[in-house]
Amino acid sequence: MKIETLQSQREELLSKARLMNEDSAASVVDVKSLISQIDDIDVRIENMKKLASMAPVVSEAEVGKPWLSGGVVKSYFMGDNRAEKDYKAYVMGQFGLHVAGRAKATKWLADNGFLKATGESGSGNYLTPDLLSSDLQYLREQFGTARKYCKIVRMDSDVQIVPNASGSGTVYYPGENASITPSDMTFVAVTLTAKKAAALTQVSRELSEDAVVDLGNTLARDFAYLLAREEDRVVFASAATGTDASGLVGIPRTLTNLAGGTVANYAGIAGAVVGATGTAGAWSGFTLANIQAMIAKLPTYCDNPYFFCHKQFFYNGIADKLIALGGNNIMAIQEAYGPNPKLFGIPVVFVQVMPSAPAASAPVLILGDLSKGVLFGDRRGVGVEMSTDFYFNQDALAYRATERYSVQAFDAGNYDLSVPANRQAGSFVTLFAAAT
């Protein structure tokens, strides 16, 4: 029964009770009975209002707008309200069903102008609709770190050369009536080469059209998380020696290249600080003096620096030294704890793909302004393919998300093993564990 119906009954009873009360022949008992019924209706109306505010009734989705029924999982898309977020999730869900060969989903995407097949080698690879591209990029930035702090470059081709200023002009003091000696800025060419990265997501075969919004949120979350995690690995923890699986050059490899890929020569890298012997097996050997040396090496043009490390290293290898300080250093201790920790006044960013346990010559902590020294090339958005065979024995579908991107850490400073005074760090400095 609706509140409006109860209110109508209340008015009828109230009118009847007033008439009876004015009639001297009417029974007082009957009037009290009507008043009691009115009180009961009042209570029911108040209860209905409270229940409605505690658990609002979900109205049926408007015809032609099935996404308004919403979903049960967290929405990962951007939007001014839940309806807008659910609409994007619905588009993503329909896109997933379309890739899986659902004709109804294909028709919906085509009717609404979202169908866009591409040809990456003509192999049935589909680019996500333009409406979702910025959202997937946003999610990769939220799940990952590299895209937030590196300098982003939009790539127009698989190989792109980006000029970067490497030196300024020279100031002279000309004599009277003498010409000024000309000098020019110098540039180095940084080459970005796009590589293809792929992530695999397993989805139940029982895809229900009633769960399109949830399917869209699930696919977006998994694609963004897996790709962002790999991007972080390439930038912060790619192979320092040998060949990385990505073929790209992150921070550790760039520094190692200066030393000819030889661990024994790390001490000559301007942008490197090496822990004491024993730090390969225990973080207890790292000291606050190591951190101080990193800060001292970082050039002043790096005006927006951050520390990057695994959470385990920060709290087991650094924070314990702050606690040991005590006394007047209480502010240093307080800054190191909480959701946004700082170290020597510099923000700390946790990168969970960096080393979580001691290891020989491992890059455990990076300090730098990555916008000055690491290029992140964005070549293509997320493309999606689907296979019914990969998880055949589990009765599940395999969705593969791919992207094309590039990474090049370039402002690494120089190398001089014999003359420390000649060393000049670049826009990032790395703390390495010792070789033993």
Side-chain angles (χ1 to χ4, degrees):
M1 184 174 291
K2 295 183 179 181
I3 291 179
E4 291 80 4
T5 303
L6 290 174
Q7 289 175 333
S8 177
Q9 292 179 1
R10 181 182 184 282
E11 291 300 323
E12 291 179 4
L13 291 172
L14 182 58
S15 178
K16 186 175 181 180
R18 285 172 175 167
L19 290 174
M20 291 180 64
N21 189 52
E22 294 174 357
D23 186 354
S24 57
S27 170
V28 175
V29 174
D30 291 340
V31 174
K32 289 183 177 181
S33 175
L34 291 174
I35 293 175
S36 177
Q37 293 179 55
I38 292 171
D39 289 339
D40 288 342
I41 290 176
D42 286 339
V43 172
R44 292 182 65 186
I45 290 175
E46 287 302 313
N47 287 340
M48 291 179 71
K49 288 180 179 179
K50 289 180 180 178
L51 289 172
S53 63
M54 294 168 62
V57 178
V58 180
S59 60
E60 294 184 3
E62 296 180 30
V63 177
K65 295 183 179 180
W67 58 87
L68 293 182
S69 60
V72 296
V73 303
K74 176 183 176 181
S75 179
Y76 290 93
F77 289 89
M78 296 182 292
D80 294 332
N81 49 59
R82 183 59 191 245
E84 185 177 344
K85 295 177 181 179
D86 286 343
Y87 175 65
K88 291 182 177 180
Y90 186 82
V91 174
M92 184 70 188
Q94 290 285 29
F95 176 72
L97 294 173
H98 157 66
V99 175
R102 300 291 181 87
K104 187 175 180 180
T106 301
K107 184 179 185 304
W108 188 90
L109 290 172
D111 290 346
N112 289 274
F114 291 119
L115 194 57
K116 181 173 69 169
T118 117
E120 188 174 271
S121 302
S123 58
N125 187 61
Y126 296 89
L127 280 181
T128 51
D130 291 338
L131 174 72
L132 308 177
S133 296
S134 59
D135 287 77
L136 291 177
Q137 179 174 322
Y138 165 77
L139 285 174
R140 279 176 285 173
E141 290 176 355
Q142 297 306 302
F143 287 127
T145 300
R147 286 178 177 267
K148 291 181 185 178
Y149 298 97
C150 296
K151 182 178 180 180
I152 303 296
V153 177
R154 307 300 174 193
M155 298 179 65
D156 298 322
S157 60
D158 283 349
V159 178
Q160 185 163 323
I161 297 176
V162 181
N164 183 73
S166 60
S168 300
T170 303
V171 176
Y172 295 95
Y173 294 90
E176 188 174 353
N177 296 324
S179 60
I180 301 175
T181 303
S183 63
D184 299 318
M185 290 182 64
T186 57
F187 292 85
V188 294
V190 181
T191 302
L192 291 173
T193 302
K195 300 292 183 178
K196 180 178 178 179
L200 202 64
T201 296
Q202 180 179 350
V203 177
S204 170
R205 184 179 286 273
E206 283 74 36
L207 292 177
S208 169
E209 293 184 1
D210 294 331
V212 176
V213 171
D214 287 343
L215 171 63
N217 279 312
T218 299
L219 290 176
R221 177 197 63 207
D222 283 4
F223 291 165
Y225 173 77
L226 293 171
L227 292 174
R229 186 175 177 83
E230 174 60 13
E231 292 169 359
D232 282 358
R233 187 197 68 79
V234 170
V235 172
F236 297 100
S238 54
T241 59
T243 302
D244 188 75
S246 67
L248 299 172
V249 182
I251 292 174
R253 182 54 181 271
T254 300
L255 292 171
T256 303
N257 284 346
L258 293 174
T262 304
V263 172
N265 294 339
Y266 275 15
I269 302 174
V273 174
V274 181
T277 300
T279 51
W283 280 341
S284 58
F286 288 108
T287 66
L288 293 180
N290 294 144
I291 312 302
Q292 183 179 4
M294 294 177 70
I295 297 173
K297 282 174 173 282
L298 194 69
T300 55
Y301 65 79
C302 297
D303 54 1
N304 191 30
Y306 289 84
F307 280 108
F308 302 93
C309 66
H310 195 284
K311 191 175 182 180
Q312 289 276 3
F313 172 76
F314 182 75
Y315 285 109
N316 294 327
I318 298 298
D320 57 329
K321 279 77 174 180
L322 299 175
I323 293 175
L325 295 175
N328 295 330
N329 298 288
I330 187 64
M331 289 303 298
I333 300 173
Q334 290 177 338
E335 280 192 332
Y337 289 85
N340 301 300
K342 289 184 177 181
L343 184 60
F344 285 81
I346 298 174
V348 177
V349 178
F350 295 133
V351 183
Q352 297 303 87
V353 295
M354 291 185 69
S356 60
S361 302
V364 295
L365 181 66
I366 294 173
L367 168 65
D369 184 347
L370 304 192
S371 66
K372 303 289 197 306
V374 182
L375 293 182
F376 190 107
D378 219 339
R379 176 67 178 106
R380 170 176 65 70
V382 177
V384 180
E385 296 175 86
M386 190 279 300
S387 171
T388 58
D389 302 325
F390 194 83
Y391 293 117
F392 178 79
N393 64 331
Q394 299 179 45
D395 195 30
L397 303 176
Y399 280 91
R400 182 176 68 187
T402 62
E403 66 171 347
R404 293 184 67 81
Y405 77 103
S406 183
V407 167
Q408 181 66 59
F410 62 93
D411 186 23
N414 63 5
Y415 170 84
D416 194 314
L417 187 61
S418 58
V419 185
N422 292 339
R423 297 171 196 160
Q424 179 60 57
S427 52
F428 43 83
V429 177
T430 299
L431 175 62
F432 289 93
T436 58

